[in-house]
Amino acid sequence: MSLVRLNIKGISYSQTQNGAYALILSEVDGERKLPIVIGAFEAQSIAIALEKEIKPPRPLTHDLFKNFADRFEIQVKQVIIHKLVDGVFFSSIICERDKIEEIIDARTSDAIALALRFNAPIFTYKNILEKAGIYLKPSPRKKDKDETEQAILEQLMTDDTESKKKTSKSYKSYSLKELHNLLDKAVNNEDYEKAALIRDEISKREK
């Protein structure tokens, strides 16, 4: 079976499951998106790895794994989402040490959090993408089907987008100095979702 490379498109709050997030993966050479429901902790860890400017005061679990692997010269070469059973994705982490390759079973959310920290590519099999992937752009031959799939993705992303819009408005009244102080406090309190929103407001002002 042929492998398809994926990129991370974003993370959004899932309306379908309380306290869960939807990780949206995008096909590199195509238009399909692969939404995967993950927990809040894993979503936070992935978001921190994507936000290079936010440095936690203490290492998170995935950062600890990265430090441990670096110390013992273990490299994560790639992550493969290899199975889908009853809506649950199964993944493998392909590691290498002393030119010996090992395959480690992992939850998909953990595997992706580690892939980001090792700059390792993420893949899935073509049949999994065909089964669970959705299209964002309508096609003349599959217009009705794609519009339904687009609505599903929009449903996954709507809550998070609206939430961010409402929250970001509350930071507009703060001065730049106050925002930097709030950012430091949010990072120290390990509230990384709040830190990302404050950092976005700072970035808008400093452009």
Side-chain angles (χ1 to χ4, degrees):
M1 288 184 285
S2 58
L3 288 171
V4 179
R5 186 163 179 176
L6 303 169
N7 284 334
I8 295 174
K9 182 174 176 63
I11 302 172
S12 60
Y13 186 75
S14 172
Q15 292 190 34
T16 58
Q17 294 191 36
N18 262 342
Y21 287 76
L23 172 66
I24 311 297
L25 301 174
S26 176
E27 183 181 15
V28 169
D29 295 317
E31 297 174 356
R32 287 173 293 188
K33 314 298 175 192
L34 189 66
I36 299 174
V37 176
I38 61 175
F41 172 79
E42 292 78 14
Q44 176 180 273
S45 181
I46 290 169
I48 289 168
L50 291 169
E51 300 283 355
K52 305 296 184 185
E53 297 170 29
I54 296 176
K55 302 292 182 187
R58 297 178 298 166
L60 300 179
T61 304
H62 298 111
D63 298 319
L64 176 61
F65 184 95
K66 174 68 164 61
N67 295 339
F68 181 90
D70 288 345
R71 182 67 61 91
F72 291 95
E73 299 181 347
I74 300 167
Q75 278 296 316
V76 170
K77 306 301 288 184
Q78 61 183 13
V79 162
I80 300 175
I81 303 170
H82 63 83
K83 190 166 64 172
L84 174 60
V85 179
D86 296 330
V88 178
F89 292 90
F90 294 76
S91 293
S92 296
I93 302 173
I94 314 302
C95 301
E96 186 179 279
R97 182 172 184 266
D98 295 332
K99 297 183 179 179
I100 298 172
E101 191 174 275
E102 298 286 348
I103 300 174
I104 300 173
D105 182 46
R107 294 188 307 170
T108 297
S109 52
D110 290 328
I112 290 172
L114 291 174
L116 282 168
R117 286 162 171 80
F118 284 89
N119 294 316
I122 302 163
F123 296 94
T124 192
Y125 288 109
K126 190 176 179 182
N127 66 320
I128 292 177
L129 200 53
E130 287 171 351
K131 184 178 180 181
I134 60 177
Y135 286 88
L136 282 178
K137 294 182 180 179
S139 161
R141 288 177 295 179
K142 299 186 293 179
K143 188 175 180 182
D144 294 338
K145 181 173 181 287
D146 286 346
E147 283 178 351
T148 302
E149 290 168 337
Q150 187 172 352
I152 292 169
L153 183 62
E154 285 172 354
Q155 184 184 6
L156 286 169
M157 299 184 77
T158 296
D159 265 9
D160 187 57
T161 304
E162 291 304 314
S163 163
K164 284 185 178 178
K165 281 181 183 175
K166 287 175 186 174
T167 311
S168 61
K169 284 179 185 175
S170 64
Y171 295 117
K172 288 183 179 177
S173 59
Y174 289 92
S175 69
L176 206 52
K177 184 179 178 181
E178 288 171 328
L179 286 172
H180 280 289
N181 289 336
L182 285 171
L183 178 61
D184 291 340
K185 184 182 274 190
V187 171
N188 287 332
N189 291 335
E190 301 183 15
D191 188 347
Y192 302 115
E193 188 174 351
K194 183 177 179 181
L197 291 169
I198 297 168
R199 195 231 48 231
D200 287 346
E201 182 62 33
I202 290 171
S203 298
K204 288 178 194 171
R205 307 265 190 100
E206 294 181 339
K207 277 184 180 178

